[in-house]
Amino acid sequence: MVAIEASILSADFARLGEQARQAESAGVDAIQIDVMDGQFVPPITFGAGVVQALRSQVDLPLDVHLMIVEPERHLEAFAEAGADRIIVHQEATPHLHRLLQTIRELDVEAGVSINPGTPLAVLEEIFDLADLIQIMTVNPGWGGQAFLYGQLDKIRRLRLLLGERGLDIPIGVDGGIDPTTAPLVVEAGATMLVSGSSIYNDQAPVLDNVRALRASARSE
């Protein structure tokens, strides 16, 4: 089954705990926490304190997506705060191999994300250390952006590449995921969908939005 993660970047910041619990009740598989530092991407969002606070609110895995420079300086803090997986950007570090090793040494799953303009070739030497590869289907920084359809081919090529090597690494997608785009990325090979604004919005309750997203992901 395709996993669905709710990105709290689109949630009501004044009610993060409540909104995380709503997503848990709706049946999402994890909560993704987008950490931004105002340097790697323009906005500033959450820190390890938010992860620690949410850890006491839900029983779901917490997937911490670090969109920050020098991520190696903060790995231990997020691990101690309760992160179950830490995703780092290939573009944010010159030492990706060592960074993924360090995450695993903290007894946390290690994920790697790449931006739309980054080629898959940069990942070929770290497949053995990645518990997840996340393809950004928008340029990182803000929720609610339009899906970049050109990334579908990248997802297909990644699935083919992993298959050729006999690897079963989950492929995540993050950005512009809604009931229209979800079946497209699943058909291309994605096995984990991160969704923010299509789960947290004013059009429908979180429960209905998660159900619609889940149903669309099954219709590929």
Side-chain angles (χ1 to χ4, degrees):
M1 184 176 69
V2 175
I4 293 177
E5 297 193 2
S7 169
I8 62 165
L9 183 63
S10 297
D12 182 344
F13 286 8
R15 301 186 296 126
L16 284 182
E18 176 188 345
Q19 297 246 277
R21 292 193 300 273
Q22 288 176 353
E24 182 175 39
S25 298
V28 303
D29 299 286
I31 301 293
Q32 185 155 133
I33 303 166
D34 292 309
V35 178
M36 305 181 190
D37 63 358
Q39 297 184 69
F40 184 71
V41 291
I44 298 174
T45 56
F46 312 113
V50 170
V51 177
Q52 183 176 22
L54 287 175
R55 181 68 288 161
S56 66
Q57 297 295 308
V58 294
D59 293 324
L60 291 172
L62 299 181
D63 207 346
V64 176
H65 179 192
L66 297 183
M67 288 173 270
I68 63 176
V69 298
E70 298 184 323
E72 61 277 2
R73 295 177 53 203
H74 306 280
L75 299 178
E76 187 172 351
F78 282 104
E80 291 178 352
D84 294 285
R85 178 163 57 208
I86 296 176
I87 301 172
V88 295
H89 269 261
Q90 180 276 335
E91 303 88 356
T93 176
H95 301 294
L96 182 59
H97 192 280
R98 184 169 66 198
L99 197 61
L100 297 176
Q101 284 181 319
T102 302
I103 294 171
R104 286 188 159 195
E105 289 167 0
L106 292 169
D107 199 26
V108 175
E109 287 193 8
V112 58
S113 185
I114 58 173
N115 291 337
T118 301
L120 290 175
V122 299
L123 300 179
E124 293 191 36
E125 303 304 324
I126 54 83
F127 283 153
D128 59 322
L129 292 172
D131 296 300
L132 170 79
I133 298 173
Q134 182 168 282
I135 303 296
M136 294 301 298
T137 43
V138 299
N139 283 294
W142 292 273
Q145 295 186 69
F147 181 83
L148 297 175
Y149 286 88
Q151 296 304 297
L152 288 170
D153 181 62
K154 182 185 285 185
I155 299 168
R156 293 188 190 99
R157 286 185 285 114
L158 176 58
R159 174 51 63 202
L160 180 62
L161 182 59
L162 293 176
E164 289 173 346
R165 297 195 178 193
L167 299 173
D168 191 27
I169 303 171
I171 297 176
V173 291
D174 183 5
I177 301 301
D178 58 27
T180 299
T181 58
L184 301 179
V185 297
V186 172
E187 184 278 330
T191 55
M192 187 272 277
L193 314 180
V194 180
S195 183
S197 57
S198 74
I199 289 178
Y200 296 113
N201 57 53
D202 297 329
Q203 282 69 56
V206 169
L207 176 61
D208 292 348
N209 289 333
V210 172
R211 284 177 173 171
L213 191 61
R214 182 82 71 187
S216 70
R218 290 174 178 153
S219 66
E220 39 72 48

